[in-house]
Amino acid sequence: MGKYEYKMQRLFLRHVLAEGARIEADRSQANYLMNVLRMKDGDYLLVFNGNHGEWLAKISSGSRRDCALQVMERTREQTEHNDLIYLFAPLKHARLDYMVQKAVEMGVGSLQPVMTQHTQSSRINLERMEANVIEAAEQCGILSIPEVIGPQSLKDVLAEWPQMHPDRRLLFCDEAEGTHNPLLTLAQMKEAGPQPLAVIVGPEGGFSDDERSHLRGLDFVTAIPLGPRILRADTAAVAALTIIQATVGDWR
Amino acid sequence: MGKYEYKMQRLFLRHVLAEGARIEADRSQANYLMNVLRMKDGDYLLVFNGNHGEWLAKISSGSRRDCALQVMERTREQTEHNDLIYLFAPLKHARLDYMVQKAVEMGVGSLQPVMTQHTQSSRINLERMEANVIEAAEQCGILSIPEVIGPQSLKDVLAEWPQMHPDRRLLFCDEAEGTHNPLLTLAQMKEAGPQPLAVIVGPEGGFSDDERSHLRGLDFVTAIPLGPRILRADTAAVAALTIIQATVGDWR
């Protein structure tokens, strides 16, 4: 992706996109484009809808309250939906926003909040999570919008796993793993051939001892360590996704 | 490190620590312990000074404005100072705080802001950076406090490198690298034997073309890619430090 595209404003739309289409931005999009970004008639931006690739568009007839976009030409083909499922204990407020944005940047395909014994935040605002997913996709040039799944208890997720996700391996980031390095385990997985993956990152206080031993006893779970230091949950998320994408993921 | 230690409050002090020492907390520490954390006489915490390991301490004679600590016994030996130098284009406000905290969690030994052509933030508050370094060390159980170095221009850093850092290799996170995967390059470095390392992460807009070609032309620089997606600068920082620590760093 060129610098040019990186610097252009990118906007997610729920409309069908095709050459020559004229799209009325909704009230909040118009406000964002015309008042926050101070764009003007004739300015260019990139638009995408998660299904039809990325398109160059031009602002036609913008005012302070309304704005229409003229779709010009396709700049990138639609990319495939990412397959990696990211399960995480929700954090509070800004740290959750941040964690969701980072997971999208790192190429997860779906995000599922999981309630654990030490989870501090029990109210999950799925709309806010979706808004963070879209913002990260807009900023980082991701064309396929990851799915946000409603919260479930860890117990239920694990009980239903064999039915819901046959053949999918769950990587469990375990602070208390004996070794510090995940590379050997991941290299062995890579040699065994491709398989669908999920990763689970615990809450700030870590998993409880019961949860850890339950996870470690399940045959679809593989524990991976993340180095010698304690990481905060949002750091552990980026570290885990980096090491997984670099070894058995899409950093080809 | 056990769960017990993880959950206990940990406080950085500038005092000499030894068994039986009595330490008067300064005004802001006393406020933090007594009013923010609502600790009471007889409560335990862990203290460290970056040089003498970690100690169990007890609050003796705390009031709302003053607080004395009784140092009990050493809980951990001092760890070695990390060697990895982390160079980064400063970001704005909260994102910089965040990036500094994350770098400490990931085990850097020193942090140096570097001004590049696209760097957006020119005023660097070194005191605030140091406060963030200490906060991250307190939260994540790191006993050796990374050093904060004053800002320098990228040009000067590179010109002085051979004198300042003989034999130290600079890993350059290059978005525009042809491949996506850094593992092969890092595996080759590992085979060549241990050497001191530094890593540089660019600003939100990336390095300029001039800067990129300058960096790529230097014999102490090795470019590494970070996957197929554009990462925000703070995400790139965690991703780069993860992959470096896991391959040629201290995730043994």
Side-chain angles (χ1 to χ4, degrees):
Chain A
M1 196 170 310
K3 298 252 163 210
Y4 174 70
E5 291 179 34
Y6 177 51
K7 283 176 185 164
M8 266 186 111
Q9 189 59 44
R10 196 181 271 109
L11 185 70
F12 175 75
L13 295 169
R14 297 191 189 273
H15 302 73
V16 172
L17 298 174
E19 197 170 322
R22 185 188 146 92
I23 292 169
E24 296 285 338
D26 67 29
R27 182 72 58 96
S28 80
Q29 288 167 335
N31 178 55
Y32 180 65
L33 294 174
M34 306 311 289
N35 300 322
V36 179
L37 299 178
R38 294 168 187 270
M39 295 185 87
K40 294 180 298 293
D41 258 27
D43 281 355
Y44 291 98
L45 71 164
L46 297 168
V47 298
F48 65 110
N49 63 7
N51 291 306
H52 301 128
E54 180 186 73
W55 296 73
L56 185 68
K58 190 163 75 169
I59 294 185
S60 63
S61 69
S63 72
R64 295 195 56 184
R65 304 192 53 183
D66 299 290
C67 160
L69 301 169
Q70 181 80 32
V71 179
M72 319 274 292
E73 58 178 31
R74 180 134 56 184
T75 51
R76 282 200 289 155
E77 292 294 322
Q78 180 61 33
T79 55
E80 266 182 58
H81 187 75
N82 290 315
D83 180 65
L84 182 62
I85 302 178
Y86 172 59
L87 301 110
F88 60 100
L91 309 177
K92 285 185 180 170
H93 315 303
R95 282 194 115 79
L96 177 59
D97 295 345
Y98 200 94
M99 192 190 214
V100 167
Q101 292 169 19
K102 295 308 168 213
V104 174
E105 285 180 52
M106 295 305 303
V108 305
S110 38
L111 295 98
Q112 173 160 26
V114 172
M115 313 315 282
T116 68
Q117 285 179 30
H118 296 165
T119 299
Q120 293 178 317
S121 180
S122 60
R123 272 186 257 163
I124 311 292
N125 184 337
L126 289 180
E127 268 183 36
R128 182 165 169 170
M129 273 185 58
E130 271 163 14
N132 277 304
V133 165
I134 288 169
E135 189 188 319
E138 286 175 340
Q139 293 218 355
C140 297
I142 287 164
L143 297 186
S144 171
I145 304 289
E147 185 188 8
V148 173
I149 302 169
Q152 244 190 315
S153 74
L154 177 60
K155 215 175 137 190
D156 289 348
V157 167
L158 297 177
E160 294 169 10
W161 196 271
Q163 285 75 49
M164 291 288 287
H165 307 291
D167 305 324
R168 187 177 290 269
R169 182 143 295 276
L170 176 58
L171 295 168
F172 152 50
C173 300
D174 188 3
E175 277 177 26
E177 252 283 290
T179 65
H180 291 322
N181 201 307
L183 289 179
L184 183 63
T185 302
L186 292 165
Q188 286 165 347
M189 278 181 54
K190 191 184 170 78
E191 264 179 43
Q195 69 177 322
L197 293 176
V199 54
I200 184 164
V201 176
E204 284 290 353
F207 292 102
S208 72
D209 290 342
D210 283 354
E211 289 169 337
R212 285 191 58 241
S213 54
H214 184 192
L215 278 161
R216 294 183 72 95
L218 295 166
D219 61 4
F220 55 84
V221 170
T222 299
I224 56 169
L226 292 174
R229 283 168 292 276
I230 293 174
L231 302 179
R232 296 200 67 170
D234 47 0
T235 318
V238 179
L241 291 168
T242 298
I243 208 76
I244 291 167
Q245 293 289 33
T247 50
V248 290
D250 68 2
W251 287 21
R252 278 170 209 111
Chain B
M1 194 171 311
K3 298 252 162 205
Y4 174 70
E5 291 178 36
Y6 177 53
K7 283 177 187 166
M8 266 187 112
Q9 189 59 43
R10 194 181 271 109
L11 185 70
F12 175 76
L13 295 169
R14 297 190 188 275
H15 302 73
V16 173
L17 298 174
E19 196 169 322
R22 184 188 145 92
I23 292 168
E24 295 285 337
D26 67 28
R27 180 73 58 97
S28 81
Q29 287 168 336
N31 179 56
Y32 180 65
L33 294 174
M34 307 311 289
N35 299 322
V36 179
L37 298 178
R38 295 168 185 268
M39 294 185 87
K40 293 179 299 290
D41 258 28
D43 280 354
Y44 291 99
L45 72 165
L46 297 167
V47 298
F48 65 110
N49 63 5
N51 292 307
H52 300 129
E54 180 187 76
W55 296 74
L56 185 69
K58 189 162 76 169
I59 294 185
S60 64
S61 71
S63 72
R64 295 196 57 183
R65 306 191 51 183
D66 299 290
C67 159
L69 301 170
Q70 182 80 32
V71 179
M72 318 276 292
E73 59 177 31
R74 179 134 57 184
T75 50
R76 281 198 291 156
E77 292 293 321
Q78 181 61 33
T79 55
E80 266 180 58
H81 187 75
N82 290 317
D83 180 66
L84 182 63
I85 302 178
Y86 172 60
L87 301 111
F88 60 99
L91 308 177
K92 286 185 178 169
H93 314 302
R95 282 194 115 79
L96 177 59
D97 296 344
Y98 201 94
M99 193 191 214
V100 167
Q101 292 170 19
K102 296 305 166 214
V104 174
E105 286 179 52
M106 293 307 302
V108 305
S110 40
L111 295 98
Q112 174 161 25
V114 171
M115 313 314 282
T116 68
Q117 285 180 30
H118 296 165
T119 299
Q120 293 178 316
S121 180
S122 61
R123 273 187 258 162
I124 311 292
N125 184 338
L126 290 180
E127 267 184 37
R128 181 165 170 170
M129 272 184 60
E130 271 162 13
N132 277 303
V133 165
I134 288 169
E135 187 188 319
E138 287 176 340
Q139 293 219 355
C140 296
I142 288 164
L143 297 187
S144 171
I145 304 289
E147 186 188 8
V148 172
I149 303 169
Q152 243 190 317
S153 73
L154 176 62
K155 215 177 136 187
D156 290 349
V157 168
L158 297 178
E160 295 169 9
W161 195 272
Q163 284 76 50
M164 292 288 287
H165 307 290
D167 305 325
R168 187 178 290 268
R169 182 143 295 275
L170 176 58
L171 296 168
F172 153 49
C173 300
D174 189 2
E175 277 177 24
E177 254 281 291
T179 63
H180 291 322
N181 200 307
L183 289 179
L184 183 62
T185 302
L186 293 165
Q188 285 165 348
M189 281 181 52
K190 192 183 168 80
E191 263 178 42
Q195 70 177 321
L197 293 175
V199 55
I200 183 163
V201 176
E204 283 289 355
F207 292 102
S208 72
D209 289 341
D210 284 355
E211 289 169 338
R212 284 192 58 239
S213 53
H214 185 192
L215 279 160
R216 295 183 71 95
L218 295 165
D219 62 4
F220 55 84
V221 170
T222 299
I224 56 169
L226 291 175
R229 283 167 292 274
I230 294 174
L231 302 179
R232 297 200 68 169
D234 47 359
T235 317
V238 179
L241 291 168
T242 298
I243 207 78
I244 290 166
Q245 294 289 34
T247 50
V248 290
D250 68 2
W251 286 21
R252 279 170 210 112

